[in-house]
Amino acid sequence: MRTENAVAPKTIYLKDYTPAPYLAKQVNLSFNLLPGKTIVTSEVRYVKNPVGVSSDLVLDGEEQTIVSVAKNGVPLSDYTVADGQMTIASPGDEFTLTIVSEINPEANTALEGLYQSQGTYCTQCEAEGFRRITYYQDRPDVLSVFTVRIEADAKAYPVMLSNGNLQEEGGLPDGRHYRVWHDPFPKPCYLFALVAGDLVRVADTFTTMTGRNVDLHIYVRAGDEGQCSHAMESLKKSMKWDEEVYGREYQLDLFNIVAVSDFNMGAMENTSLNVFNTALVLAHQETATDSDFMSVEGVIGHEYFHNWTGNRVTCRDWFQLSLKEGFTVFRDQEFSADLNSRAVQRIDDVNGLRRLQFPEDGSPLAHSVQPDQFIEISNFYTKTIYDKGAELIRMQHTLLGPQTFRKATDLYFDRFDGQAVTCDDFVQCMAEASGRDMTQFFRWYKQAGTPTLVASSHYDAAQQRYTLSFKQSQPETPGQTDKQPLHIPIAVGLLAADGREIVPTQVLEMTAREQSFTFDGIAAKPVPSILRGFSAPVKLETDLSDDDLRLLQVHDTDGFNKWEAGQTLALRTIQRVMADPQADISQFIADVGTLIAQGLSGQGDKALLARALSLPMIGVIGQYQPVIDPAAIDAARSSILTQIKRAHKDALAALYEANANPGEFTITPQAMGRRTLQAAVLEILTTTNGTGCAARAKAHYDAADNMTDRVTALSCLSDSTQPQRAEVFADFYTRFEKYPLVVDKWFSLQAIANREQIFDDLASLRAHPDFNIKNPNRVRSLYSAFAINNPVKFHDPSGKGYAFLRDAIIELNSINPQIAARLVTPLREWKRYTPALQAQMKAALQAVLDTPNLSGDVFEVVSKSLNG
Ligand code: TRP
Ligand code: ZN
């Protein structure tokens, strides 16, 4: 519900940027945390900005009651408050403004600004949450030094934290106490943080490259301290990696991480006081899967890396969001690749991009990596800004090469440390350090939509010359019809017919709409390995034959393309079966047999084999269909899995046994590879959901000594109608009901079931006493798991799946607009589905749009989905 001082939806444009009228020299904040209300006193020294264009001071503020305003200590009444802004006309060149206001964190369900999570006070200010704490110029280009005093009941809130260093602490009358924190580095207000609660601390230290000691503290609720060691190790590895790979050292003597269970996103990089969703800190073999362990490592890295890419060098405005997010995702992907398996990391990252970013880029909400306009910035924390943004950085890394890229990032950090800059500034450093003209490359930042790259080849035996020809095209996207050709790095290698690599990887630079590249001295027609490592975020179409792909699948030296060749064969097979259910796919089935045999011989990387044995997911397959019909894709996919199982049952069972749990748990890449291979094999073995399948899955569960194996078993049982399903789910709940993050998995694993009773199941899960609409993790565990990971039932012809999601969006609109808007995601791509499904999806969107008191967040995504 829009409250009195909420703001009407209004479009903001990049072209309208002007510098802030006033600079903030010093910010003193004081918080008096009292039951039912918090009193915030903000005292800011303002100085007129020499490059500002207006002389009025305009401060943003929402969801608070103003108690008093004073200028230079004298009460001020000469100000206006309207539409979420306080305006003071021409206040002078330099003055101190003191504003006292009252807020109510206990009633804050939007989880923006100051709120409570299980009794712990915490803040989330990015992007525009600071204005819910006090009136301020809430924009990232206003940097200031913050001193923060916190006062609260000493018993209930023994831990009180803010950014920087502890300056002062002491007791007060009536059982209260206070602490003063000071952060000497100027920062934008979106990086401000405060935490007060009864938490326990896990401590360690890190010695930096110049020999300074940094205290590392992780704060969690009592009882969770045994689940912090993986996060702590990941933090130390992140600090070391940034020193080694980017030459970047941490500047303060303390680094805090606080885990809270109510959080809209994954985590937040507030200077020296990161706030994390518990799901991305806590990890123990009994309660966390391998993929949870990987996410914790990746996100701890991500938030730590923001210290340089985001905090010390920050964004001029929110159109530059990818400046910090795209670059930081690239950094965390490379960190994970260095620590684990580079090929596996790349496969998983590209799979995610194709499954989630490609659909966004083809939807009415398609936007460029540096957008030109938005209504609600929190809707722009998207796969495009993050993951396509990371691909843009990766392409620059590929074009420049690692050494020149490092020279360019050194230049970027040296030049812009302590400043708020743009994506243009970043690319300019790439250009200067390399001597390259990056003008054409910058189009990647401005043009939305996934380009298509069509490759064809010609071999001239007489000339011994091989020619690769490419055509690029860009789809039209909302507001963009006239697209220019992009600068595309295409990493290519050539293999001979016997599988030998005859031309190692080289990067072809495509700049025209159509372009050819020749290779001389090629003795016989080669097989090209194109777009190695997925060197550009495009949809590639080639004229390779199935036999060419089979050669690459066995012999390619590029781990990503080796996997990709198998996926392309699988896609072609699925398309054949979709066109004709009786199609002869014996060659494909035999090829899978060869992979299984390789696995049995113990050759090769198990994690890669697991991925080679997994058919593309429905969401990825859909990207290659002109009209998406999830049930038809699923039918073809299931038929292929059944044929694989029938043909190779004994070999699969042997491969399963050969990779059984050796009894000692570790989270090395090898151990994770073994578990994931066993899971991929069990998925095929249990695909028909009969009595034997259920028995196998239950046996897997009973033998499990870790969460990964338990979740594997549950997901193999999820679609089943056998009695073991209920038994195992009940046992799982009883064992783990005290662990909220595991209860989330219990919800998700039921929500993804492709079975008849699903809509009854969903209704009981929604009515379950453990369901809590105010907790984003729980909402995601039911609704996002269903809408994203259960494509067949979400797109049920009855429309019941859409109705289930629609009702949650409407309910959440008044509770937590950010989460409500995010839930709209799977409906945005409605135009890609069959006419019958389209009509139902559109009706669900329209019903949301017709809801009274729609938040700006939901209004923007729903109206753009319908009209974009
Ligand atoms: N900057 C955060 C990140 O690391 C994103 C984030 C955390 C966020 N919490 C948020 C964005 C709440 C919007 C709203 O990626
Ligand atoms: Zn980030």
Side-chain angles (χ1 to χ4, degrees):
M1 212 158 329
R2 208 174 292 156
T3 60
E4 323 156 67
N5 53 2
V7 185
K10 182 171 123 225
T11 303
I12 320 278
Y13 297 91
L14 168 58
K15 64 173 168 47
D16 292 346
Y17 173 84
T18 55
Y22 287 84
L23 307 175
K25 284 278 135 187
Q26 163 73 38
V27 176
N28 294 317
L29 294 174
S30 161
F31 290 82
N32 195 1
L33 304 171
L34 297 160
K37 71 171 177 200
T38 289
I39 298 165
V40 184
T41 304
S42 114
E43 183 191 277
V44 182
R45 184 86 189 145
Y46 286 108
V47 178
K48 200 160 182 321
N49 187 354
V51 297
V53 286
S54 159
S55 59
D56 293 349
L57 177 64
V58 181
L59 306 177
D60 308 288
E62 289 172 22
E63 305 283 333
Q64 60 195 284
T65 309
I66 300 169
V67 177
S68 65
V69 181
K71 193 173 94 178
N72 296 328
V74 182
L76 182 82
S77 53
D78 196 10
Y79 64 87
T80 58
V81 177
D83 227 6
Q85 292 187 319
M86 172 190 288
T87 304
I88 305 173
S90 302
D93 287 347
E94 188 165 353
F95 57 94
T96 298
L97 193 70
T98 308
I99 302 176
V100 181
S101 58
E102 209 179 284
I103 54 179
N104 186 358
E106 286 95 327
N108 181 349
T109 58
L111 315 186
E112 274 188 278
L114 180 66
Y115 66 95
Q116 282 200 335
S117 175
Q118 297 191 310
T120 296
Y121 286 96
C122 61
T123 52
Q124 173 55 40
C125 293
E126 189 180 5
E128 298 180 337
F130 192 75
R131 62 187 63 186
R132 289 167 175 252
I133 292 174
T134 185
Y135 278 88
Y136 193 69
Q137 297 178 104
D138 190 358
R139 44 188 289 168
D141 60 346
V142 173
L143 277 64
S144 192
V145 173
F146 282 64
T147 303
V148 179
R149 182 183 185 278
I150 312 168
E151 174 183 330
D153 184 83
K155 232 187 169 146
Y157 307 101
V159 173
M160 298 197 295
L161 308 169
S162 190
N163 317 82
N165 309 312
L166 182 63
Q167 209 170 40
E168 204 186 314
E169 60 186 317
L172 294 165
D174 302 324
R176 297 179 68 79
H177 69 154
Y178 76 96
R179 249 164 231 174
V180 179
W181 290 85
H182 177 72
D183 179 1
F185 293 87
K187 65 168 173 291
C189 63
Y190 83 86
L191 292 171
F192 161 78
L194 174 156
V195 170
D198 188 2
L199 301 167
V200 293
R201 173 165 109 186
V202 175
D204 207 328
T205 60
F206 177 79
T207 307
T208 70
M209 61 205 258
T210 62
R212 283 190 309 104
N213 257 7
V214 182
D215 284 321
L216 311 177
H217 295 162
I218 299 181
Y219 288 90
V220 292
R221 281 164 63 89
D224 288 342
E225 56 274 36
Q227 300 180 55
C228 298
S229 58
H230 182 64
M232 188 63 92
E233 289 311 308
S234 301
L235 176 59
K236 290 188 283 183
K237 287 175 187 168
S238 307
M239 297 179 84
K240 186 122 195 75
W241 188 88
D242 214 12
E243 292 184 348
E244 285 173 356
V245 180
Y246 283 86
R248 297 295 123 194
E249 184 182 9
Y250 183 66
Q251 67 274 15
L252 290 150
D253 303 328
L254 173 62
F255 190 89
N256 286 314
I257 288 176
V258 178
V260 299
S261 34
D262 301 273
F263 202 72
N264 282 349
M265 302 272 281
M268 182 61 211
E269 69 265 24
N270 318 299
T271 321
S272 76
L273 178 50
N274 287 2
V275 177
F276 269 65
N277 190 321
T278 44
L280 292 153
V281 173
L282 305 181
H284 185 276
Q285 73 176 86
E286 303 281 353
T287 49
T289 62
D290 293 344
S291 112
D292 296 330
F293 274 89
M294 292 296 292
S295 307
V296 167
E297 183 179 274
V299 178
I300 293 266
H302 181 99
E303 305 311 330
Y304 176 72
F305 301 144
H306 268 315
N307 181 59
W308 275 96
T309 51
N311 301 8
R312 292 189 62 159
V313 182
T314 196
C315 302
R316 187 193 73 172
D317 54 69
W318 293 120
F319 297 99
Q320 320 304 328
L321 182 56
S322 196
L323 173 77
K324 74 178 179 78
E325 295 304 346
F327 192 8
T328 304
V329 171
F330 172 71
R331 277 151 57 74
D332 83 56
Q333 290 177 346
E334 287 296 293
F335 167 64
S336 296
D338 284 347
L339 258 53
N340 303 285
S341 153
R342 180 159 287 273
V344 168
Q345 182 70 31
R346 191 63 186 138
I347 289 167
D348 292 354
D349 290 338
V350 173
N351 236 342
L353 189 81
R354 284 184 174 144
R355 202 162 66 88
L356 303 167
Q357 196 275 328
F358 280 18
E360 177 169 276
D361 230 352
S363 82
L365 278 111
H367 53 277
S368 51
V369 170
Q370 187 192 57
D372 296 309
Q373 58 179 81
F374 58 73
I375 294 177
E376 181 49 66
I377 183 56
S378 61
N379 285 327
F380 279 75
Y381 288 74
T382 61
K383 297 290 170 191
T384 299
I385 301 295
Y386 277 66
D387 298 354
K388 187 175 182 178
E391 294 299 321
L392 269 49
I393 308 297
R394 183 176 298 278
M395 285 192 282
Q396 295 176 75
H397 183 269
T398 302
L399 287 169
L400 269 63
Q403 274 124 28
T404 310
F405 181 81
R406 169 65 195 269
K407 260 176 60 191
T409 59
D410 283 352
L411 175 64
Y412 172 72
F413 294 126
D414 288 353
R415 181 176 291 175
F416 296 123
D417 189 10
Q419 295 184 49
V421 304
T422 63
C423 298
D424 312 60
D425 292 323
F426 178 87
V427 178
Q428 181 58 32
C429 289
M430 296 286 136
E432 281 183 38
S434 66
R436 285 168 161 267
D437 182 350
M438 300 295 282
T439 320
Q440 185 181 5
F441 185 85
F442 199 72
R443 288 179 188 156
W444 277 106
Y445 281 88
K446 299 308 302 182
Q447 295 186 169
T450 307
T452 295
L453 185 64
V454 179
S456 57
S457 58
H458 174 72
Y459 180 63
D460 182 337
Q463 305 275 342
Q464 303 220 324
R465 169 174 290 175
Y466 184 66
T467 306
L468 274 176
S469 302
F470 297 95
K471 261 188 212 176
Q472 56 165 304
S473 59
Q474 271 81 240
E476 294 194 351
T477 49
Q480 294 188 342
T481 46
D482 181 27
K483 299 226 162 111
Q484 301 303 305
L486 297 166
H487 183 173
I488 307 179
I490 309 172
V492 167
L494 299 181
L495 278 71
D498 63 0
R500 264 180 317 119
E501 184 171 76
I502 50 170
V503 173
T505 305
Q506 58 184 78
V507 178
L508 310 177
E509 295 192 27
M510 182 181 196
T511 50
R513 277 187 214 280
E514 295 189 22
Q515 207 165 333
S516 295
F517 300 87
T518 55
F519 300 83
D520 285 313
I522 308 292
K525 185 173 189 292
V527 174
S529 169
I530 304 172
L531 213 67
R532 282 187 160 174
F534 201 64
S535 61
V538 299
K539 293 183 181 169
L540 176 67
E541 294 172 13
T542 70
D543 59 358
L544 295 187
S545 68
D546 282 7
D547 281 343
D548 292 338
L549 291 171
R550 295 174 67 220
L551 181 117
L552 294 173
Q553 193 185 13
V554 178
H555 295 290
D556 203 329
T557 56
D558 183 73
F560 175 81
N561 262 11
K562 202 172 148 86
W563 168 82
E564 177 84 332
Q567 293 290 296
T568 307
L569 282 168
L571 264 172
R572 288 183 184 180
T573 306
I574 290 161
Q575 276 154 359
R576 274 172 211 148
V577 175
M578 285 180 76
D580 170 15
Q582 309 306 322
D584 176 12
I585 59 164
S586 50
Q587 178 68 62
F588 180 76
I589 303 293
D591 290 347
V592 175
T594 309
L595 289 174
I596 298 170
Q598 265 175 28
L600 280 170
S601 74
Q603 299 164 19
D605 180 299
K606 290 177 199 276
L608 288 174
L609 180 60
R611 282 156 181 81
L613 285 174
S614 304
L615 294 181
M617 294 168 83
I618 294 174
V620 171
I621 300 166
Q623 294 313 300
Y624 297 88
Q625 306 286 130
V627 174
I628 307 177
D629 180 355
I633 297 174
D634 182 58
R637 204 177 171 277
S638 301
S639 148
I640 297 168
L641 282 171
T642 304
Q643 293 182 56
I644 296 173
K645 176 183 168 177
R646 298 240 159 91
H648 305 301
K649 196 170 172 184
D650 294 341
L652 283 164
L655 188 56
Y656 177 85
E657 288 309 327
N659 287 282
N661 190 345
E664 201 198 310
F665 184 87
T666 59
I667 51 152
T668 58
Q670 292 71 24
M672 290 193 284
R674 182 193 62 71
R675 283 190 287 273
T676 189
L677 177 56
Q678 227 200 0
V681 172
L682 191 65
E683 193 203 321
I684 304 173
L685 282 170
T686 60
T687 193
T688 45
N689 286 316
T691 50
C693 300
R696 263 187 210 283
K698 176 153 191 319
H700 193 77
Y701 181 86
D702 291 338
D705 67 350
N706 63 76
M707 184 52 69
T708 303
D709 285 335
R710 287 191 199 281
V711 166
T712 294
L714 288 166
S715 73
C716 289
L717 277 168
S718 187
D719 297 354
S720 180
T721 48
Q722 307 297 331
Q724 287 94 332
R725 182 190 198 269
E727 274 172 50
V728 171
F729 273 91
D731 179 83
F732 187 78
Y733 181 80
T734 319
R735 269 174 204 266
F736 297 110
E737 62 181 314
K738 295 283 171 295
Y739 296 87
L741 297 172
V742 187
V743 175
D744 288 338
K745 297 183 197 302
W746 182 81
F747 273 87
S748 295
L749 287 158
Q750 296 176 76
I752 60 169
N754 181 5
R755 58 181 209 148
E756 283 319 306
Q757 313 84 312
I758 184 70
F759 296 108
D760 298 333
D761 295 349
L762 293 174
S764 2
L765 290 169
R766 177 65 185 82
H768 194 280
D770 287 344
F771 186 80
N772 174 6
I773 191 90
K774 293 189 178 157
N775 178 259
N777 285 358
R778 194 55 50 85
V779 168
R780 286 184 278 255
S781 78
L782 179 58
Y783 289 98
S784 306
F786 171 66
I788 296 171
N789 297 327
N790 193 349
V792 176
K793 293 301 176 197
F794 177 61
H795 296 284
D796 190 80
S798 68
K800 285 183 187 167
Y802 307 142
F804 183 64
L805 188 69
R806 174 200 67 202
D807 293 349
I809 296 167
I810 293 171
E811 188 179 2
L812 273 161
N813 173 60
S814 54
I815 297 169
N816 186 330
Q818 283 185 8
I819 297 295
R822 239 151 230 286
L823 283 189
V824 177
T825 305
L827 289 169
R828 299 181 305 189
E829 293 108 35
W830 60 278
K831 286 180 188 154
R832 297 276 287 108
Y833 289 81
T834 62
L837 297 178
Q838 275 196 25
Q840 306 241 37
M841 295 173 88
K842 200 176 168 194
L845 286 165
Q846 190 63 48
V848 176
L849 191 64
D850 294 343
T851 304
N853 297 320
L854 215 53
S855 61
D857 302 62
V858 176
F859 171 78
E860 177 173 32
V861 289
V862 173
S863 61
K864 287 184 176 172
S865 296
L866 284 167
N867 309 320

